[in-house]
Amino acid sequence: MSRSLPCHIYSFWVLLPFWILYTTSTNKCTVRHEIADCSHLKLTQIPDDLPANITVLNLTHNQLRRLPPANFTIYSQLTTLDGGFNTISKLEPELCQSLPLLEILNLQHNELSQLSDKTFIFCMNLIELHLMSNSIQKIQNNPFKNLKNLIKLDLSHNGLSSTKLGTQLQLENLQELLLANNKISALKREELDFLGNSSLKRLELSSNQIQEFSPGCFHAIGKLFGLSLNNVKLSPSLTEKLCLELSNTSIENLSLSNIQLYKTSNTTFFGLKQTNLSMLDLSHNSLSVIGNDSFAWLPHLKYFFLEYNNIERLSSRSLYGLSNVKYLNLRRSFTKQSISLASLPKIEDFSFQWLKSLEYLNMEDNNFPGKRNTFTGLIKLKSLSLSNSFSSLRTLTNETFISLADSPLLILNLTKNKISKIESGAFSWLGHLKVLDLGLNEIGQELTGQEWRGLKNIVEVYLSYNRYLELTTDSFALVPSLQQLMLRRVALRNMDCSPSPFHPLFNLTILDLSNNNIANINDELLKGLEKLQILDLQHNNLARLWKHANPGGPVQFLKGLSHLHILNLESNGFDEIPADAFRDLSELKSIDLGLNNLNILPPSVFDNQVSLKSLSLQKNLITSVKKTVFGPAFQKLSNLDMRFNPFDCTCESIAWFVSWINSTHTNISELSSHYLCNTPPQYHGLPVILFDTSPCKDSAPFELFFMITASMLLIFIFIILLIHFEGWRISFYWNVSVHRVLGFKEIDKQPEQFEYAAYIIHAYKDRDWVWEHAPMEEKDETLRFCLEERDFEAGALELEAIVNSIKRSRKIIFVITQHLLKDPLCKRFKVHHAVQQAIEQNLDSIILIFLEEIPDYKLNHALCLRRGMFKSHCILNWPVQKERINAFHHKLQVALGSRNSVH
Ligand SMILES: *[C@@H]1O[C@H](CO)[C@@H](O)[C@H](O)[C@H]1NC(C)=O
Ligand SMILES: *[C@@H]1O[C@H](CO)[C@@H](O)[C@H](O)[C@H]1NC(C)=O
Ligand SMILES: *[C@@H]1O[C@H](CO)[C@@H](O)[C@H](O)[C@H]1NC(C)=O
Ligand SMILES: *[C@@H]1O[C@H](CO)[C@@H](O)[C@H](O)[C@H]1NC(C)=O
Ligand SMILES: *[C@@H]1O[C@H](CO)[C@@H](O)[C@H](O)[C@H]1NC(C)=O
Ligand SMILES: *[C@@H]1O[C@H](CO)[C@@H](O)[C@H](O)[C@H]1NC(C)=O
Ligand SMILES: *[C@@H]1O[C@H](CO)[C@@H](O)[C@H](O)[C@H]1NC(C)=O
Ligand SMILES: *[C@@H]1O[C@H](CO)[C@@H](O)[C@H](O)[C@H]1NC(C)=O
């Protein structure tokens, strides 16, 4: 009857077993490279479907109560099992049997309280065992006895009251034993002698309540190199006891931070005389009095930490004997206000004279009264930090650092000292100095360049965050070795001086001029800085320099920076970029143009930025992202930031960008939340990536089609217009060309081959003018004109005669008047023959003489002639003024004399 079962019930019964299977066996562990991470999954059971070949299994932060050995047999390759942060209260010895290769077992933050002799009996390969933060209060017998390979054992944060972890020698390979934060109150020889064969690099006993070091307690340990007793209230007397117990041990590193060691004397560290102690940490001790010769017993000390104390003063013998110290930290070591000793210097002269090996000295955050002759004798000092060290070091004079004259100082940090003036030669003692940090002070002055006198090897100068700096051409003239110069937020003045203040710095690689509100610079500012790699110009006011309308054109201040890698131009108000602004920057990797007002970028502005890795244009007014502009810049980009621009989501503006985003590996963060369409209205507020580019792709062939038809139409219209207005010219020259090509060679007869110099065509009514003027021209010529009325029988004008005469004339002269235009014979016959001859022979052979003004269209209409057909010297106008008649004759002679050829 299953057919009658309602469908949903049917499917419930079918799917139930799968559902059970699903909940029992699937897990959300991530497995990568044989490492399974099952942390933070609220697991109550060990996942049983992980690959059998995993070597690391992370089960931290779950709800496991047990680690049943059987459930691990499938993971026999495990070398690391992390079961931290669960509620495991019992461990079965067979676990290690299931995991024979286990090297690291972490069970921190669980509820283990009992460890028996058997617990780790099979864990022979264990190297690290972490049992921190359990509830182990007592170790009975020898649970760790079989851990012959154990290197690190962490039992901190338990309730142990004793260091005793066994009754017999064991843990011979142990290097680190961590017992911090227990309840150990005494170190006793017999409670440590299970370590008799061990060499401990680190015995961590911090944060216990140790009040007793019984005789020989440290000698019970095979070898002890490092001991930490931080946060144990030892006080001076117990410290002295401790040191006596440490005498003749191998101790090298001793941490005694925050042990209430408020004073030291010449006996405190006496016990360490016979040791090789190389590191001593006495920080956070409220140490106020350092007795003379306190450290005289520590000739091997190299690293000495004294930060965060309350030292009232250093006398000339306070540091006596520390001849090997390389590193000394005195950060916030001295009292802020010493009332009783206000008049005395906190550091006596020559206090540091014993530190012949000191290379690094940190004196930050102290409150010294001012310049002192303090540092004499530090003949190896390389790095000195005096940041926030002085309460009243207003002016750096040529004597402030005189005590450092013998130090090969490389780094000097003077930040946060309220320095207001650097005098000439202040650093002249520091010829080795490479790095000088003067940032975060109150310097306000003109930099003449003398401030840097003597800094022959300087490489980095930090001047950022000061009151104001007025630059001059010579500001950096004495430090041409400079490679990094930081001038952020220093209210730079006189930036447009010429030559530029930076002109001597041809090795400069980093220049920070940001946050200066710079508005006026010239194109010389960065000239010659060919090695510059990083240029920071953000938060200035450079917009005007790139405006088209800037008087003298845009200022190309980036010209020639051919090795620039990083350029920051954020927040400058730019609304225009000249097309060639970045032309020289072919190695640019990163450019930041964010927070400007850029809308339309010129095409090819990024053409030379083909190796760009990072481009920021966030918070501009960019509407369209086109290939012509961004194509080159996007090629190798790994990071793009164009958030918060008002994108115009049309095919035209954005289609290319959207399909580029779809195919690129470039990192574009917040793509779906901060790249939104602004226009058109129907897309407003929509993420750009949701823009559908498919209609745009269809329009591409259409666009092409449109372009082709449109241009064909235009060409057609052009041809029509051309034929309409210039058709006569075309057909005329076509005729000429055809005749030439078909072999009507130019007939360049010699003058003697012609009978007449010219055949004159005129209207009958103009014969008076012709008769009056033609003979004048003939006078000095051997050839005569052919005049119809004179040279033909009167009234017997035979057409054949006309044709022959025209042929026998070298030139044909038209005397053009209104009458000629109306003369029927002229109109048809003569003009036709004349033009025919002209075409066959040459265009020069026709001369037009206008006796009156005739517009070209009338001429064309009546005679089918146009001025444009003839050379200009063949077109003559009969002058109205008498005095020009001579000139007319001259011109006519020229026209008659010209050869019949086209030159
Ligand atoms: C161990 O495996 C058994 C059988 O596969 C299972 O019933 C049990 O819940 C598992 N225990 C743990 C803690 O995962
Ligand atoms: C571990 O097992 C997985 C499948 O369970 C396999 O893909 C992987 O290659 C194996 N790794 C090694 C090192 O054998
Ligand atoms: C296990 O995961 C936790 C939290 O994700 C992490 O802190 C711990 O280092 C991991 N353990 C190992 C052995 O990788
Ligand atoms: C320690 O200093 C005292 C004087 O303060 C002196 O009498 C004593 O000899 C010094 N002890 C050592 C070991 O130098
Ligand atoms: C420091 O400069 C002053 C003049 O300003 C000069 O008299 C003095 O000799 C200079 N001191 C040194 C050590 O150069
Ligand atoms: C100078 O010291 C300050 C404060 O410690 C630090 O922030 C700065 O980086 C240091 N300057 C240099 C150049 O190391
Ligand atoms: C500039 O750098 C070059 C090459 O590193 C070096 O040889 C030259 O000495 C430097 N110039 C100055 C003035 O330090
Ligand atoms: C993105 O690319 C995939 C395949 O590469 C394609 O199927 C999809 O249509 C593309 N989406 C857009 C908006 O171009």
Side-chain angles (χ1 to χ4, degrees):
M1 290 304 282
S2 70
R3 282 176 68 201
S4 63
L5 271 174
C7 194
H8 61 275
I9 295 178
Y10 175 77
S11 58
F12 173 79
W13 285 110
V14 168
L15 291 176
L16 182 63
F18 293 102
W19 180 74
I20 292 168
L21 202 65
Y22 178 82
T23 50
T24 51
S25 68
T26 52
N27 62 79
K28 293 174 196 145
C29 302
T30 54
V31 183
R32 272 173 61 214
H33 307 116
E34 282 79 51
I35 296 174
D37 185 355
C38 302
S39 60
H40 295 280
L41 292 174
K42 297 189 175 148
L43 298 178
T44 54
Q45 285 168 321
I46 314 299
D48 57 3
D49 55 350
L50 297 168
N53 59 9
I54 53 166
T55 58
V56 178
L57 175 56
N58 195 336
L59 293 167
T60 55
H61 300 276
N62 283 298
Q63 296 162 5
L64 300 169
R65 292 161 167 274
R66 294 176 59 227
L67 298 175
N71 302 49
F72 286 93
T73 47
I74 42 172
Y75 307 127
S76 60
Q77 305 296 306
L78 277 190
T79 57
T80 301
L81 175 60
D82 193 344
F85 299 91
N86 281 287
T87 50
I88 299 162
S89 53
K90 192 164 189 311
L91 209 56
E92 278 129 297
E94 291 77 15
L95 181 67
C96 278
Q97 227 168 4
S98 305
L99 305 172
L101 304 178
L102 199 63
E103 291 179 350
I104 299 175
L105 176 60
N106 193 337
L107 292 168
Q108 63 171 316
H109 290 270
N110 275 290
E111 292 170 4
L112 295 170
S113 55
Q114 297 286 326
L115 300 178
S116 79
D117 270 11
K118 298 222 176 80
T119 310
F120 301 109
I121 193 163
F122 301 114
C123 301
M124 269 93 72
N125 288 317
L126 220 52
I127 290 173
E128 290 183 24
L129 177 57
H130 300 265
L131 296 168
M132 176 204 194
S133 294
N134 277 280
S135 332
I136 304 163
Q137 305 199 341
K138 196 162 187 345
I139 305 278
Q140 274 163 333
N141 303 324
N142 296 295
F144 308 113
K145 187 167 177 292
N146 255 19
L147 304 179
K148 296 198 187 303
N149 291 313
L150 202 67
I151 288 177
K152 180 171 184 175
L153 176 57
D154 188 349
L155 279 162
S156 39
H157 285 276
N158 277 286
L160 294 171
S161 54
S162 145
T163 58
K164 185 166 186 168
L165 306 180
T167 59
Q168 45 180 265
L169 280 177
Q170 53 191 284
L171 294 168
E172 51 265 46
N173 279 310
L174 199 66
Q175 293 181 8
E176 293 185 56
L177 177 56
L178 313 182
L179 291 166
N181 284 287
N182 277 291
K183 291 181 177 154
I184 300 164
S185 58
L187 293 191
K188 294 184 186 151
R189 185 179 183 114
E190 61 275 19
E191 290 177 356
L192 284 164
D193 58 12
F194 68 97
L195 293 168
N197 278 347
S198 319
S199 297
L200 288 189
K201 286 202 176 120
R202 183 175 167 211
L203 175 57
E204 176 62 78
L205 288 166
S206 298
S207 303
N208 278 289
Q209 301 147 2
I210 300 171
Q211 287 303 315
E212 186 191 339
F213 299 100
S214 77
C217 57
F218 297 115
H219 289 270
I221 301 167
K223 275 191 171 152
L224 179 62
F225 294 102
L227 176 63
S228 290
L229 285 163
N230 304 331
N231 314 318
V232 180
K233 293 175 192 157
L234 293 182
S235 72
S237 58
L238 206 51
T239 307
E240 199 173 319
K241 186 91 196 306
L242 163 74
C243 292
L244 285 170
E245 281 310 320
L246 283 168
S247 72
N248 283 314
T249 62
S250 316
I251 192 79
E252 288 178 2
N253 300 333
L254 182 56
S255 274
L256 298 173
S257 178
N258 189 21
I259 58 160
Q260 300 185 0
L261 183 67
Y262 48 85
K263 66 168 192 186
T264 64
S265 71
N266 63 0
T267 55
T268 310
F269 301 105
F270 175 77
L272 296 171
K273 186 172 68 162
Q274 306 289 346
T275 67
N276 266 341
L277 197 73
S278 71
M279 191 285 286
L280 178 60
D281 184 353
L282 294 177
S283 60
H284 297 272
N285 267 313
S286 312
L287 181 60
S288 61
V289 176
I290 298 181
N292 283 349
D293 303 348
S294 287
F295 310 116
W297 322 110
L298 308 174
H300 303 287
L301 200 63
K302 286 201 174 82
Y303 303 93
F304 195 8
F305 299 86
L306 274 169
E307 66 266 31
Y308 296 93
N309 277 301
N310 209 18
I311 303 169
E312 280 162 3
R313 54 194 291 259
L314 281 186
S315 73
S316 62
R317 281 190 78 89
S318 296
L319 301 175
Y320 171 76
L322 293 171
S323 58
N324 264 310
V325 169
K326 280 163 70 174
Y327 175 102
L328 175 57
N329 195 336
L330 287 171
R331 176 163 192 215
R332 204 177 288 187
S333 292
F334 293 84
T335 39
K336 277 284 171 204
Q337 267 146 359
S338 77
I339 304 128
S340 56
L341 300 165
S343 54
L344 286 171
K346 284 180 182 168
I347 302 178
E348 276 182 12
D349 284 355
F350 307 111
S351 292
F352 291 124
Q353 62 176 316
W354 317 110
L355 306 175
K356 298 285 177 220
S357 302
L358 194 67
E359 294 179 8
Y360 178 97
L361 177 56
N362 187 342
M363 309 247 294
E364 286 173 21
D365 300 324
N366 284 298
N367 201 22
F368 305 125
K371 56 194 167 173
R372 292 301 312 166
N373 192 11
T374 309
F375 304 106
T376 314
L378 294 173
I379 53 171
K380 290 248 173 89
L381 194 64
K382 289 188 181 145
S383 171
L384 175 58
S385 181
L386 294 172
S387 170
N388 191 25
S389 288
F390 300 101
S391 52
S392 57
L393 188 71
R394 294 286 178 265
T395 305
L396 301 182
T397 71
N398 59 359
E399 289 177 352
T400 307
F401 298 113
I402 198 165
S403 67
L404 286 164
D406 293 328
S407 307
L409 201 62
L410 301 178
I411 303 174
L412 177 59
N413 195 331
L414 287 166
T415 55
K416 301 188 229 168
N417 277 309
K418 302 198 171 79
I419 299 167
S420 61
K421 185 157 179 22
I422 309 167
E423 284 184 4
S424 157
F427 306 108
S428 54
W429 314 103
L430 310 177
H432 299 275
L433 203 65
K434 285 192 150 62
V435 181
L436 174 59
D437 195 341
L438 286 161
L440 295 154
N441 279 295
E442 290 168 7
I443 303 168
Q445 71 183 78
E446 182 186 63
L447 292 179
T448 63
Q450 289 301 317
E451 298 82 6
W452 319 123
R453 199 175 66 224
L455 290 173
K456 298 188 290 284
N457 288 298
I458 196 78
V459 174
E460 301 172 26
V461 169
Y462 297 80
L463 277 163
S464 299
Y465 302 101
N466 274 291
R467 207 148 59 77
Y468 78 89
L469 292 177
E470 178 155 347
L471 300 185
T472 64
T473 289
D474 292 330
S475 287
F476 304 104
L478 297 179
V479 283
S481 53
L482 214 53
Q483 292 175 17
Q484 306 187 9
L485 179 56
M486 310 298 166
L487 292 165
R488 172 177 300 199
R489 225 216 66 203
V490 288
L492 282 176
R493 299 179 184 173
N494 195 23
M495 284 296 282
D496 61 343
C497 66
S498 172
S500 156
F502 309 120
H503 78 280
L505 306 180
F506 41 78
N507 272 359
L508 206 61
T509 56
I510 303 180
L511 178 58
D512 186 349
L513 297 172
S514 57
N515 300 68
N516 278 301
N517 211 22
I518 302 169
N520 285 324
I521 60 174
N522 53 46
D523 61 356
E524 264 184 54
L525 184 76
L526 307 171
K527 193 173 149 195
L529 303 186
E530 276 168 21
K531 294 193 182 165
L532 201 61
Q533 293 180 4
I534 301 179
L535 176 59
D536 284 321
L537 280 168
Q538 65 270 29
H539 296 276
N540 280 298
N541 197 6
L542 301 175
R544 175 188 62 84
L545 300 170
W546 273 356
K547 278 194 201 294
H548 211 66
N550 184 46
V555 181
Q556 301 284 1
F557 57 90
L558 300 175
K559 200 168 54 185
L561 302 179
S562 54
H563 288 96
L564 202 64
H565 288 169
I566 299 176
L567 173 61
N568 195 335
L569 291 168
E570 208 184 76
S571 293
N572 266 286
F574 287 122
D575 52 5
E576 273 184 60
I577 301 183
D580 50 357
F582 308 130
R583 195 185 50 211
D584 293 350
L585 316 183
S586 54
E587 291 183 12
L588 208 58
K589 302 258 182 301
S590 164
I591 182 165
D592 191 342
L593 283 161
L595 297 141
N596 282 295
N597 298 321
L598 295 166
N599 175 3
I600 295 169
L601 299 179
S604 36
V605 66
F606 296 123
D607 270 11
N608 284 348
Q609 278 67 56
V610 285
S611 43
L612 208 60
K613 292 263 178 289
S614 164
L615 173 63
S616 292
L617 276 162
Q618 80 279 19
K619 296 195 180 160
N620 275 281
L621 302 172
I622 291 172
T623 50
S624 76
V625 185
K626 292 190 187 169
K627 189 179 181 184
T628 46
V629 179
F630 293 99
F634 281 5
Q635 267 176 42
K636 293 187 185 154
L637 212 58
S638 40
N639 274 299
L640 175 67
D641 187 354
M642 289 184 88
R643 291 169 304 151
F644 304 105
N645 276 291
F647 294 107
D648 171 44
C649 290
T650 59
C651 288
E652 161 87 341
S653 301
I654 210 94
W656 177 77
F657 186 41
V658 175
S659 44
W660 176 80
I661 290 174
N662 195 26
S663 62
T664 187
H665 294 297
T666 305
N667 194 0
I668 310 172
S669 59
E670 302 182 304
L671 185 56
S672 48
S673 52
H674 294 319
Y675 290 69
L676 303 179
C677 303
N678 187 46
T679 50
Q682 70 264 31
Y683 287 117
H684 181 84
L686 235 70
V688 161
I689 35 166
L690 296 186
F691 179 77
D692 183 10
T693 58
S694 45
C696 308
K697 294 199 182 84
D698 297 342
S699 80
F702 172 76
E703 266 171 34
L704 189 67
F705 174 76
F706 173 80
M707 270 162 55
I708 290 172
T709 39
S711 40
M712 277 169 62
L713 192 68
L714 277 175
I715 290 168
F716 180 71
I717 292 172
F718 176 75
I719 289 171
I720 297 288
L721 290 176
L722 191 71
I723 287 172
H724 184 75
F725 289 108
E726 298 285 319
W728 62 269
R729 206 188 288 272
I730 294 165
S731 66
F732 177 72
Y733 282 102
W734 174 252
N735 267 329
V736 172
S737 312
V738 166
H739 275 93
R740 298 287 148 76
V741 171
L742 292 182
F744 296 94
K745 279 272 163 56
E746 180 179 310
I747 304 165
D748 192 16
K749 299 180 193 168
Q750 294 307 305
E752 53 272 20
Q753 290 172 281
F754 293 105
E755 199 173 319
Y756 304 110
Y759 184 94
I760 298 184
I761 297 172
H762 61 88
Y764 181 71
K765 287 184 179 165
D766 296 325
R767 65 188 187 284
D768 294 343
W769 183 89
V770 175
W771 278 90
E772 188 184 340
H773 294 283
M776 267 166 52
E777 304 296 334
E778 286 176 324
K779 264 181 285 181
D780 41 348
E781 284 284 338
T782 48
L783 286 180
R784 302 187 311 138
F785 287 154
C786 178
L787 293 176
E788 289 164 7
E789 285 78 3
R790 182 184 69 184
D791 300 313
F792 293 168
E793 304 263 326
L797 292 182
E798 283 207 19
L799 298 180
E800 204 166 320
I802 293 174
V803 174
N804 285 336
S805 300
I806 287 177
K807 276 188 182 154
R808 279 180 282 151
S809 303
R810 194 150 67 94
K811 304 266 171 173
I812 302 150
I813 296 177
F814 285 84
V815 179
I816 299 175
T817 58
Q818 293 289 355
H819 303 133
L820 184 78
L821 302 189
K822 289 172 190 147
D823 190 313
L825 185 63
C826 285
K827 251 176 156 171
R828 301 258 176 273
F829 183 72
K830 290 182 194 165
V831 171
H832 173 77
H833 273 280
V835 171
Q836 198 57 40
Q837 181 163 340
I839 287 171
E840 284 170 19
Q841 291 188 0
N842 216 299
L843 302 178
D844 281 19
S845 59
I846 291 181
I847 297 169
L848 306 182
I849 298 175
F850 288 88
L851 293 191
E852 49 196 278
E853 189 54 43
I854 307 284
D856 216 30
Y857 72 91
K858 280 194 180 166
L859 190 64
N860 179 35
H861 192 247
L863 301 180
C864 298
L865 290 180
R866 286 170 191 270
R867 284 182 174 86
M869 288 177 176
F870 308 101
K871 296 276 170 67
S872 59
H873 68 258
C874 297
I875 299 169
L876 305 176
N877 290 301
W878 179 248
V880 188
Q881 299 97 329
K882 282 229 166 63
E883 54 273 22
R884 298 229 179 130
I885 289 177
N886 265 341
F888 170 82
H889 284 302
H890 181 70
K891 279 188 198 161
L892 183 58
Q893 289 301 331
V894 171
L896 285 170
S898 70
R899 270 175 80 238
N900 287 358
S901 67
V902 189
H903 289 287

